[in-house]
């Protein structure tokens, strides 16, 4: 295990610098942490103006006192570098550290995350404070892990960044000719005759060169990750043994998190599901399962749940209170999916500023006799009993392909449906089918290997990169099952269209067909998929948004279109390829289609559900495999529900056997071991 | 009376400078004014480029001629200072006078209200022209009152304003330490180490420091009011006896109008209700009643209706014509609520530019044989018969608390419902309950005194300032009835949260409870309030948007929640406090709940409706108390309606007695005296 | 005929410069063009960076090779000037050539159409490349016509443009006094005291001076057209005999296309209807008919369909595939309305950049065995058989007045319905009535003559310019039928209101009435029109949005309002005027009202439908009159439909007689000759 800590971490963000004039409150915090079974807190996030109140004047004593006292009370520290926000003196003295926005003006000092990742001066300032922290605390026995900066993200359009972008392009393309060809700049006379002519895509300039846009997005990820790597190298220089992480937000658009794989020792993220938005919590439950699976798949290892709300947030459209039981359910769900921690933003509510109403373990009121505090405490107590499960992790046999760069390219490409291609939604719909079956899945990108999987679902693989076409073909040749869909294999890695027919790069052979046209449908318009020979259980399924017109070469049609001028053309096909089989779904289908198709593919791939049971809709199960293997059975329904088990199981916590009819209370989670 | 004029003023904005080359039209204006029973016009608004066509060259003769001729014909003048728009030569020569927008760029010359209230140069230019006007016209027998500038408002982000802001903050906080504490700048490392680091909140800079945002809003009001004070001092220096006013727009967001209380001699405003938007005019009628009540409550004195549309406006989404009778109804409503004038924008329609289609007494057509002209004339004739009522004013026993600064803070605070807290709408819903009962109310802010009231309704008093908590407690101790609601007593005057439980600042004792959590509900979600022991007439009322979970100490529950996990917790409570009683409504209720509750509280407070009658829904009544006291009975329905009077009344205008069954025509207003 | 080419042109945009490194593809293009019956391609659009890769270095050989080879294969060239996009070296070296946006910042290099039409430097650069092209290719036997630039449009706010604007204003008004009066600048003190004070209307400056806004729009058209004129003069200098055109987009807002009338030899446009958006294609069919009619009416001559999509576009919200038959229908529709060409954007899909998924004749796939290619080929084959119709054109007896400048003024004027005046929609609704009847119409602006027409429909002629009031009066006096509507004759050509009653400028006499008030209705609100004495077939028609209250002098009411306080006032009137009759519709009516009224007016004007038949709804007919006259009968329904002919016709293509019951297949077009 990456973290040298033999328990699930339970704790959260803690900002003692806001209460240094209130020693009574700081003392009370320690008592309350113990009461809540908190064994760790995250400190130093956004503390820079206290750590270096004047340029070059470092004041770390107060922090040492805090860390020491916590440690003396058995509470460990997740130590942040403070680079997520800079002191105002720095922003005013060195405007270079501030970002320039998309309209090419320099931001004013303010908010957080408003710094240029390229600026040498900012990097140097960060190096100095990080080094000071590392030297002072890098060997402290109470410090568990570095928390680098905070939710790194955003973009900067300053001249330094643009120059770095040009340098990155030179490395990538070698020559302007190569770049001109890759970006197809002859269109609209956009041929670059000098590197200096290249600029970031901004609203007042070039916005419609897809290759430029795509590479800019790649560069933004590159530069952001490079900043994290540079902070990592800085702290490792002084304290080589302490592991590092950086906490991600729940975002599938800006920074490609898979690029952090080799930068951090352990992946972590901040989870803020919209519990309570709908009376039916299943949707939120599945969305969150998906997010956990993405995060775990980055390294295929356990991860930290660095932040979560112990009650409502304050920044969502509406701050619904969580119903009793939801907090426990959400915490156990994270653990089920591979988390080794349950941490909160935040321990104690700030008295002022923009997050003063964000849910916290300790309210402004200050007592522990609140519903929220008691629910947090219950999670702490439960986690303490799960030590034996700590080294476990889900080990899926199925993977879903979700690729950030593919998403950037697909959403940017003016194409069949500018009203919304819904790539992410489509991937999540495929994931939902697995979640309902109780089959755990990884969510991988095109750079990942496919080893260990028996089934790969690759929806809308528009842009092919990182040898994914080859990998899929080899995977299938070796006996794997592949499901591909419409809008696959359209462009190469610079967004240039494949000539000679699509799916390109050899995927046409894999699927045994050629896509001739694609019909975009307006919202409200639909077609039908009609299975042949009872291949799927229903007589017809509804299709929307995108319908491809395909011509089969070696593929065999399994279902046909039921409407419009392409009625009777293939809508679902199967192609034998090597020892495996490649399925192709030519149109966006309703959930029931994905559910039925996924069940069928799992059976064909010999993948069993994680729990041998009939799962009612709204109950999911996921298995953590380790020195002790256990299945987390989760009820997302607000009512009691009974699950029929097909095999004998024992309750991990009580040690008692459970009968074949297991009744779950509303939102209850049970942890089961096979007998 | 402030104005030395023994009649209700009837008239409006008049722009003769647009017609100086058409003496025939100017002559015709006088004839038409007499025909319309107009006794006053407002001149000089936006006339600066005619008064000072070149820098330093003042041409006032044309204006004198106009004022003289009007006076000679018995028409008095409301004289404007021209500072609402500056000549183009000034804007081009001295860009300093123009505002800088929120994106920190200087505006180009154009539109109106586009000047910096801080600019010393602009103030000096205004001083010179105001002094010239005051010296020439400040003692003219035909001039009634100064009309300072026009609808002062807006914001400027220029360096001069930002420097003035820093000065204002120094005065307010004394030290940076105090400011840092008040704004809780340790959050996100926002601690200021030098006054110069403070900047106005702008999108490219700091936007999420609530204390900064709140103080910036206060400063904007301060600077705007200071500009008005400075114009007042200028004209008073030359003409000390002429009263001053400045006309407000109908706005509850930008400038805190209560801060003008001591600056102007009489308050005035511009009323543009959306008559005709819905077939049912009741909503508009009540909204306008609310606006009149706010304006009157600023000084608790009669006010001027400086502008109103004699027919459609041209800037609303849709310019509906007013149905016959609406103009009379709207004019009499203003008088009922305390107006001493009915004035129009505008007398004669401009031939060109952006308001050329704004309704006017005289159309481009030019004749008096129009529907609009005849309706205006009817108002003039009626007003002439109401002289005896001129010294009267409503004298409410109930007050509703609406506080601008509270609204700023509540809307800015990321909190329980970012989709909309609906403070103003909530206050208006409480007001509506009174309006339907025919009980007149003041609408006061936290700086106002509570003397003379028996009942104070204080919805959503999130931010407590100006000693309002003390005032409410003392008011209740002395026997007053108080109604408070959810989201009360959360923060102090710098938006810092109260520690130790809310409602804070002693309001927890007043209401006898503590609020533990607040649930934000999405649109469409709801809860129920179930009265105990028939405390309210219905079995249940619907609750939406915000539901607080309270723990009673001394309070007694009067109704409980009917749904969700907090079913059975108190939703409405009563607490005996001193000689009075404090009610607390824990959630946003439907109108019927406010109606029933308000009726009950009025009875408890011994407040009688203004008219002793059963008012059908859509008929309201308000009493002007003075040397002669009369009740204005107003029918907002498009049909005849009969009111049952419980006491004998006489028609003020006809002198005739009215029977116990009084029938009102569609939109009719009757003025009744007690016999 | 303007073009010296004895066939309908069939072809489209061709960008060989993107494939110069692929001679195999260039060779294949020739083969495929022949296969598709393409006789012309448009080259050079956006080729500047290939024609002048370095400043002053012209490389035209590759282009000559292309044109030669095409010609050798019987394929003619439409030759573009490349000024629609400039090389990046130019934009970087001379920022002056780039536009400044409405926020007064200079654009960065990028996209297309991003150049200042005023910049002397840009004009000089264009002159040099245009001259080089004209000298080399202006006499080439394979070149048919100049394609000047591409879809000229947009606005620039740079100092050069603003100075040119001031110059244009000096020419127009002569003196500042005249301008101040015309713009009514006394309103809000906006009087200009120096020409230099005049600035373009921008959001940060003057936005509410209607005269300024209107003249700025006129200037933008002037400067854009002047740029085209200047390119025309340049190419004509070297090659006087080659005709010129410039292709317009489908836009009714930015550039007044009627101003190109005397600049180009032939008008052309780019048509991209939203086929497939609704299952019912009739709406799209009629909208496109309207657009063709506008374009043809500019010169009242045949025009070129310069671009159309052979299948889906890529920039619409949703890229629906065209159903089989739609492409033929759309192509024949253009010919029916007067086109002498059917051309596509584009011949071959680009591999990359922003339009890589725009429909093309040849897909990335590259073969001719696609549905799209075969449909294009079928159009080519059919066009080859229509040579005898080439010199024909519709010659309507009815005209609808649609005036760009009127639209600008009406939409800018804050007035009766800021939610939407719907001028264009209203004009199109009138056009639809004719289209459903099968009566061809011109769509003219106020500068056009009325000779040759018997009926003129002039909806919402708010602003009167170019003597239109006189022209309408004379037209009517001479026996013409005029239909006017509400919101007519309100302002003169500088947007100053007419005094003394409207409709102004003598139109009150023409219609025999005066408009007193206009009621704006919210969406959802309505009134009714009740015909008197069965004047129209239905008992009532619904009225929405705008209802005028009129007082008749000599006019006779034909229908009355049925609701609201103006129930019983005239809603439709007729006035005998000279030998003609003037109708006035006082409110916006539903389509059925316009249909019934139009049928009645056509009968009164003695205008017969283009085909003597009962046209089912969704079938339209239009006649091309020439040395051979034929009627294009078009079925916009997805089903078979039978048309009853009242006269004997012969099928132009087969020569066969058709019976009295003619059955059309879905989307079929038949071309009929009278026997």
């Amino acid at each position: 295990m990456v973290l040298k800590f033999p328990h699930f971490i339970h704790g959260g963000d803690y900002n003692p610098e806001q209460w240094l004039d209130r020693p009574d409150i700081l003392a009370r915090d320690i008592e309350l942490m113990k009461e809540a079974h908190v064994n760790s807190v995250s400190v130093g996030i956004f503390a820079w103006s206290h750590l270096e109140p004047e340029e070059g004047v470092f004041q770390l004593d107060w922090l040492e006192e805090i860390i020491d006292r916590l440690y003396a009370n058995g509470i460990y520290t997740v130590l942040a570098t403070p680079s997520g926000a800079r002191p105002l003196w720095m922003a005013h003295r060195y405007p270079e550290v501030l970002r320039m926005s998309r309209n090419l003006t320099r931001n004013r000092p303010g908010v957080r995350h408003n710094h240029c990742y390229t600026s040498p001066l900012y990097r140097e300032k960060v190096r100095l404070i990080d080094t000071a922290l590392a030297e002072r605390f890098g060997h402290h026995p109470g410090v568990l892990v570095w928390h680098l900066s905070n939710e790194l993200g955003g973009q900067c359009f300053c001249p330094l960044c643009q120059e770095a972008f040009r340098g990155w392009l030179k490395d990538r393309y070698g020559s302007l000719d190569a770049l001109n060809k890759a970006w197809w700049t002859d269109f609209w006379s956009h041929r670059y005759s000098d590197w200096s002519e290249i600029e970031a895509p901004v609203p007042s300039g070039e916005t419609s060169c897809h290759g430029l846009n795509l590479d800019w997005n790649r560069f933004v990820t590159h530069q952001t990750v490079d900043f994290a790597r540079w902070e990592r190298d800085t702290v490792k220089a002084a304290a080589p043994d302490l592991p590092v992480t950086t906490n991600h937000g729940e975002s599938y658009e800006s920074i490609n998190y898979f690029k952090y794989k080799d930068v951090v020792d352990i992946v972590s993220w901040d989870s803020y599901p919209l519990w309570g938005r709908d009376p039916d919590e299943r949707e939120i439950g599945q969305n969150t399962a998906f997010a956990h699976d993405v995060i775990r798949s980055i390294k295929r290892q356990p991860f930290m749940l660095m932040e979560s709300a112990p009650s409502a947030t304050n920044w969502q459209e509406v701050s619904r209170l969580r119903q009793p039981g939801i907090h426990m359910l959400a915490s156990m769900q994270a653990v089920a999916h591979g988390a080794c921690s349950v941490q909160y933003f935040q321990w104690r509510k700030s008295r002022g500023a923009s997050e003063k109403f964000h849910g916290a373990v300790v309210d402004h009121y200050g007592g522990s006799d609140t519903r929220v505090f008691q629910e947090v405490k219950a999670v702490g107590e439960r986690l303490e009993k799960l030590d034996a499960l700590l080294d476990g992790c889900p080990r899926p046999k199925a993977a879903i392909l979700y690729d950030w760069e593919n998403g950037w390219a697909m959403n940017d490409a003016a194409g069949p449906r500018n009203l919304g291609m819904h790539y992410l939604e489509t991937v999540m719909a495929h994931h939902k089918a697995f979640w309902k079956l109780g089959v755990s899945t990884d969510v991988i990108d095109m750079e990942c290997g496919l080893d260990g999987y028996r089934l790969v679902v690759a929806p809308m693989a528009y842009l092919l990169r990182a040898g994914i076409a080859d990998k899929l073909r080899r995977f299938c040749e070796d006996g794997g099952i592949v499901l591909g869909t419409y809008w696959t294999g359209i462009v190469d890695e610079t967004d240039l269209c494949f000539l000679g027919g699509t799916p390109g790069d050899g995927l046409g052979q894999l699927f045994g067909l050629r896509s001739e046209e694609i019909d975009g449908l307006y919202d409200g318009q639909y077609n039908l998929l009609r299975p042949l020979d009872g291949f799927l259980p229903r007589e017809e399924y509804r299709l929307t948004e995108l319908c491809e017109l395909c011509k089969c070469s070696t593929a065999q049609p399994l279902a046909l279109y039921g409407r419009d001028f392409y009625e009777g053309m293939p809508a679902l096909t199967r192609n034998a390829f090597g020892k495996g089989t490649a399925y192709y779904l030519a149109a966006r289908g309703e959930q029931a289609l994905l559910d039925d198709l996924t069940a069928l593919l799992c059976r064909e791939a010999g993948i069993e559900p994680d729990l041998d049971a009939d799962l009612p809709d709204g109950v999911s199960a996921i298995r953590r495999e380790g020195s002790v293997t256990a299945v987390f059975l989760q009820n997302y329904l607000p009512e009691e529900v009974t699950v029929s088990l097909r095999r004998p199981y024992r309750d991990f916590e009580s040690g008692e056997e459970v009968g074949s009819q297991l009744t779950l209370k509303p939102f209850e989670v049970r942890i089961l071991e096979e007998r």
Side-chain angles (χ1 to χ4, degrees), chain A residues 553-593:
Chain A
S553 50
T554 57
Q556 163 201 4
L558 300 173
L560 307 179
Y561 283 111
R563 295 182 64 188
D564 219 326
F565 72 87
Y566 40 94
E567 181 177 341
M569 292 184 73
L572 176 68
T573 67
R574 174 169 55 194
N575 194 44
F577 193 83
K579 301 180 198 154
T581 312
Y583 290 83
Y584 193 84
L585 178 60
R588 183 163 193 197
E590 60 178 313
Q591 188 66 43
L593 174 59

Side-chain angles (χ1 to χ4, degrees), chain A residues 13 43-46 48 78-85 99 113 115 117 122 126 130 146-153 224 227-228 231-232 235 245-248 260 268 270 306-307:
Chain A
D13 279 26
V43 299
I45 308 164
F46 303 123
W48 201 339
V78 172
L79 183 56
T81 67
S83 63
R99 287 184 193 170
H113 304 161
H115 37 265
Y117 292 134
Y122 191 62
V126 170
D130 282 6
W146 287 106
H147 175 297
L148 299 180
S149 205
N150 184 66
E151 293 182 356
L152 293 159
T224 308
F227 183 84
E231 279 209 81
R232 180 200 65 184
V235 296
T245 189
T246 185
N247 57 326
H248 304 312
Y260 282 102
S268 65
D270 304 342
M306 187 62 86
E307 296 182 15

Side-chain angles (χ1 to χ4, degrees), chain A residues 266-267 296 300-304 338-340 390-393 395 624:
Chain A
I266 183 166
V267 178
R296 186 193 63 246
R300 288 216 214 173
Q301 285 177 14
F303 60 91
M304 297 173 78
C340 63
L390 185 59
D391 69 354
C393 194
R395 301 288 173 204
R624 260 180 96 109

Side-chain angles (χ1 to χ4, degrees), chain A residues 476-596:
Chain A
C476 197
E477 274 172 350
D478 294 347
I481 309 290
V482 171
L483 171 63
T485 78
Y486 56 96
W487 210 234
T488 281
I490 308 297
V491 299
D492 70 14
E493 71 174 340
T494 65
D495 209 38
L496 282 189
C497 294
F498 290 111
L499 300 182
T502 61
D505 206 11
L507 291 184
Q509 293 94 301
L510 175 62
F511 295 114
L513 51 73
R514 181 165 69 75
S515 161
E516 292 200 301
E517 297 185 74
I518 186 161
D519 195 13
L521 275 62
Y522 284 84
D523 292 343
Q525 298 178 335
Y526 67 95
N527 208 309
L528 296 171
L529 177 145
R530 297 229 163 90
L532 294 171
D533 309 322
F535 178 74
L536 290 170
R538 303 197 189 181
E539 282 197 15
E540 62 182 38
Y541 298 88
R542 193 167 277 231
L543 304 172
T544 55
E545 298 200 347
L546 291 161
C547 295
E548 237 176 32
L549 281 54
C550 297
K551 193 175 276 184
C552 290
S553 50
T554 57
Q556 163 201 4
L558 300 173
L560 307 179
Y561 283 111
R563 295 182 64 188
D564 219 326
F565 72 87
Y566 40 94
E567 181 177 341
M569 292 184 73
L572 176 68
T573 67
R574 174 169 55 194
N575 194 44
F577 193 83
K579 301 180 198 154
T581 312
Y583 290 83
Y584 193 84
L585 178 60
R588 183 163 193 197
E590 60 178 313
Q591 188 66 43
L593 174 59
L594 303 190
D595 291 350
D596 291 345

Side-chain angles (χ1 to χ4, degrees), chain A residues 612-655:
Chain A
D612 196 7
D614 279 330
L615 294 181
D617 193 1
V619 176
S620 192
I622 188 164
R623 188 168 54 227
R624 260 180 96 109
E625 302 181 27
S627 49
V628 175
T629 289
V631 181
F632 287 67
L633 181 63
Q634 310 142 55
N635 179 17
Y636 290 88
L637 303 171
E639 64 230 23
E640 267 196 14
V641 67
T642 298
V643 177
S644 302
L645 301 170
R646 295 206 203 83
R647 198 182 295 198
Y649 287 95
R650 168 169 65 224
D651 185 293
F652 169 77
E653 290 162 294
S654 69

Side-chain angles (χ1 to χ4, degrees), chain A residues 248-255 257 269 294 402 404 424:
Chain A
H248 304 312
E250 184 173 357
S251 157
Y252 307 102
E253 283 173 12
S254 48
I255 303 299
Y257 291 153
W269 81 293
V294 170
Y402 175 74
W404 252 262
L424 176 61

Side-chain angles (χ1 to χ4, degrees), chain A residues 351-562:
Chain A
R351 270 198 79 184
S354 68
E355 297 191 327
K356 63 182 178 293
F357 295 123
H358 194 293
V361 180
V362 181
D363 203 350
H364 297 124
Y365 162 59
S368 63
D369 57 338
T370 63
R371 191 175 71 95
V372 169
F373 190 95
Q374 294 303 318
E375 296 197 346
V376 164
K377 181 180 167 184
V379 168
E381 288 171 335
R382 191 168 190 180
L383 286 174
E384 284 176 355
K385 297 175 194 148
L386 304 185
D387 285 353
L389 301 179
L390 185 59
D391 69 354
C393 194
R395 301 288 173 204
K397 299 291 174 218
I400 300 172
L401 193 66
Y402 175 74
D403 191 275
W404 252 262
E405 302 195 11
N406 181 41
W408 293 334
M410 198 187 312
N411 291 332
D412 188 41
R417 211 168 178 282
N418 300 321
L419 208 59
M421 294 297 287
H422 298 141
Y423 173 49
L424 176 61
E425 291 82 348
T426 302
V427 170
M428 289 178 81
H430 283 277
H431 182 272
K432 187 178 203 169
F434 286 98
W435 184 78
K436 287 166 81 172
L437 286 172
V439 171
S440 57
T441 49
D442 280 347
V443 182
I444 60 176
D445 87 341
M446 292 187 188
E447 295 186 16
C448 296
L450 306 181
D451 46 298
Y453 301 123
R454 294 184 196 153
L455 169 61
V456 172
V457 176
M460 303 178 84
Y462 162 79
L463 175 143
L464 302 179
R465 69 183 188 92
I468 189 66
D470 268 355
K471 282 188 277 191
L472 287 171
R473 280 202 316 271
R474 268 183 278 122
F475 173 77
C476 197
E477 274 172 350
D478 294 347
I481 309 290
V482 171
L483 171 63
T485 78
Y486 56 96
W487 210 234
T488 281
I490 308 297
V491 299
D492 70 14
E493 71 174 340
T494 65
D495 209 38
L496 282 189
C497 294
F498 290 111
L499 300 182
T502 61
D505 206 11
L507 291 184
Q509 293 94 301
L510 175 62
F511 295 114
L513 51 73
R514 181 165 69 75
S515 161
E516 292 200 301
E517 297 185 74
I518 186 161
D519 195 13
L521 275 62
Y522 284 84
D523 292 343
Q525 298 178 335
Y526 67 95
N527 208 309
L528 296 171
L529 177 145
R530 297 229 163 90
L532 294 171
D533 309 322
F535 178 74
L536 290 170
R538 303 197 189 181
E539 282 197 15
E540 62 182 38
Y541 298 88
R542 193 167 277 231
L543 304 172
T544 55
E545 298 200 347
L546 291 161
C547 295
E548 237 176 32
L549 281 54
C550 297
K551 193 175 276 184
C552 290
S553 50
T554 57
Q556 163 201 4
L558 300 173
L560 307 179
Y561 283 111

Side-chain angles (χ1 to χ4, degrees), chain A residues 179-192 206-211 414 495-496:
Chain A
L179 178 144
N180 276 313
K181 187 163 174 87
W183 290 1
W184 206 254
T185 57
D186 287 332
F187 183 82
W188 288 355
S189 265
H190 284 184
R191 176 165 279 272
Y192 295 97
E206 187 52 71
T207 54
S208 58
C209 178
H210 300 311
D495 209 38
L496 282 189

